[in-house]
Amino acid sequence: VVDLDIPTPDVKPHDITVDTSGNGWIVEDIGCCLDKFDPKTFAYIHYVPPAGKKKTVLATPIIQGSGDLLWFIDENNRRWFTVNSKTMEYKAYPMPDSIKGPVGSNSMAYDRKSGNVWVGGIGSNQIFRLDPKTGHFDAFPIPSYAKTHKNSLPYGVAVSGDGALWFAERDVNLIGRVDPLTGKVDEYSSPGVTPIPRRMTSDQLGNIYIGMHKTGDIVKIDYETRKMTSYTPPTKNESPYGFSADLKNGYVWFSEQASDKLARFDPKTETFVEFALPNAETDIRRIEVDQNLPNRVWWTGDTANHMGYLEVLN
């Protein structure tokens, strides 16, 4: 395990991704900025994105897109960004005024087949989609909010093998699916009593995995049949949070926020391995598998102000 105490105090590194060179990137939840950690030199570099009408950039989730492009959102200025991780060239995608409500998000997902980018609008009860080729945005209202006006808080998002967008509705314990062709939104009950679904990923086969933060189970969704299967990790009440799939070896990794561990699930054998991090109260949130070096899994410790990676050496 490599564990970095981030030099800038209290930036709340909630989200992390990995570029094509194997560097870890975070967005500062408190701050304006993007930070890079180079595991070869241990250099930590701070970058300030271009200012908008509101000079303070509020950067939220960050993900790896195509090639060297990283995606993130500037919530304050209602725009999405790409930045080239090698040249640091930025490109902005302003959201149109026709899309109403807050644009802040907890999670983004990149569709490798279509090139589209998806976001769950946590304050607007909508799912957003951007086609980078045309710059066109779509917004998909969440049906349960229209019926009850209770904030669904769309949280984790992931694209399944058929191109559909799945999302967790944290505050109403539902799991949603957007058909990318028709725009139809379906909603399903989460397994368990008040399970609190949070983040998710899609695996090597295109199936969805999602964590039930309160019950401690992880749930597999077969994208073809939409059948849900629950699995219980060895550590009880570990609060699964961030998910990332090893697309080479087929493993599904997730963070155990309450137990300061990273866990690996093998869908073939339906078995778990857990790895303890070196510090207590790490508050481990989002994780990301380095797809070029899939035994290395990056993580962030939000309130601990730490980031790093775990590497399985055998």
Side-chain angles (χ1 to χ4, degrees):
V1 175
V2 170
D3 181 308
L4 173 71
D5 186 356
I6 293 172
T8 308
D10 301 325
V11 299
K12 289 180 69 68
H14 194 282
D15 277 85
I16 193 166
T17 195
V18 186
D19 69 21
T20 53
S21 299
N23 301 305
W25 289 79
I26 64 166
V27 284
E28 300 177 359
D29 233 22
I30 296 178
C32 65
C33 303
L34 311 179
D35 300 337
K36 179 176 77 172
F37 177 50
D38 184 335
K40 301 180 186 70
T41 64
F42 296 104
Y44 186 83
I45 306 169
H46 182 76
Y47 297 99
V48 180
K53 290 181 179 179
K54 295 182 178 179
K55 292 184 179 181
T56 302
V57 173
L58 180 55
T60 46
I62 186 167
I63 60 168
Q64 174 72 37
S66 63
D68 296 318
L69 295 183
L70 309 178
W71 284 89
F72 67 97
I73 297 176
D74 174 11
E75 183 179 342
N76 276 353
N77 291 287
R78 291 179 58 88
R79 55 188 179 165
W80 298 11
F81 268 112
T82 59
V83 58
N84 186 300
S85 60
K86 287 188 167 63
T87 66
M88 295 309 297
E89 179 182 0
Y90 293 86
K91 182 177 180 179
Y93 295 83
M95 295 190 73
D97 293 338
S98 58
I99 293 180
K100 305 299 182 183
V103 301
S105 174
N106 180 274
S107 300
M108 304 178 78
Y110 176 71
D111 185 342
R112 297 179 186 87
K113 293 180 181 178
S114 70
N116 292 335
V117 184
W118 294 83
V119 159
I122 57 174
S124 64
N125 291 284
Q126 299 174 90
I127 303 298
F128 304 127
R129 178 179 64 188
L130 168 64
D131 181 348
K133 296 185 290 294
T134 64
H136 178 74
F137 284 87
D138 291 298
F140 304 94
I142 295 174
S144 61
Y145 177 74
K147 295 176 184 176
T148 66
H149 292 286
K150 182 176 181 180
N151 185 20
S152 63
L153 208 129
Y155 212 77
V157 292
V159 179
S160 58
D162 57 356
L165 189 282
W166 290 82
F167 60 97
E169 300 180 53
R170 194 195 76 175
D171 284 8
V172 291
N173 292 303
L174 297 174
I175 300 171
R177 177 188 183 273
V178 183
D179 186 306
L181 298 179
T182 66
K184 183 175 183 293
V185 181
D186 294 311
E187 293 175 293
Y188 306 89
S189 296
S190 299
V193 179
T194 59
I196 308 183
R198 296 192 84 161
R199 287 189 161 183
M200 59 173 70
T201 193
S202 55
D203 71 2
Q204 186 184 51
L205 301 177
N207 296 316
I208 299 294
Y209 284 80
I210 180 172
M212 301 295 141
H213 198 253
K214 185 172 182 179
T215 63
D217 288 347
I218 69 169
V219 172
K220 171 188 173 183
I221 305 174
D222 184 311
Y223 78 88
E224 294 181 313
T225 64
R226 307 188 193 180
K227 176 185 176 183
M228 298 187 188
T229 306
S230 296
Y231 301 94
T232 303
T235 300
K236 306 300 181 187
N237 303 314
E238 86 298 0
S239 300
Y241 190 96
F243 278 71
S244 184
D246 173 349
L247 300 178
K248 178 181 178 181
N249 300 303
Y251 297 126
V252 175
W253 287 83
F254 59 99
S255 60
E256 297 183 334
Q257 185 185 11
S259 62
D260 299 307
K261 295 177 182 178
L262 278 172
R264 187 182 71 190
F265 178 70
D266 185 343
K268 300 182 185 71
T269 61
E270 299 184 341
T271 56
F272 293 88
V273 181
E274 294 177 318
F275 303 87
L277 294 179
N279 298 311
E281 301 298 335
T282 301
D283 191 25
I284 183 170
R285 299 293 181 110
R286 188 174 171 204
I287 65 170
E288 186 81 359
V289 173
D290 182 343
Q291 299 300 336
N292 294 318
L293 189 65
N295 284 346
R296 181 177 290 180
V297 184
W298 288 78
W299 56 272
T300 54
D302 189 40
T303 57
N305 215 55
H306 280 230
M307 67 181 291
Y309 60 85
L310 178 144
E311 189 165 343
V312 181
L313 300 177
N314 56 12

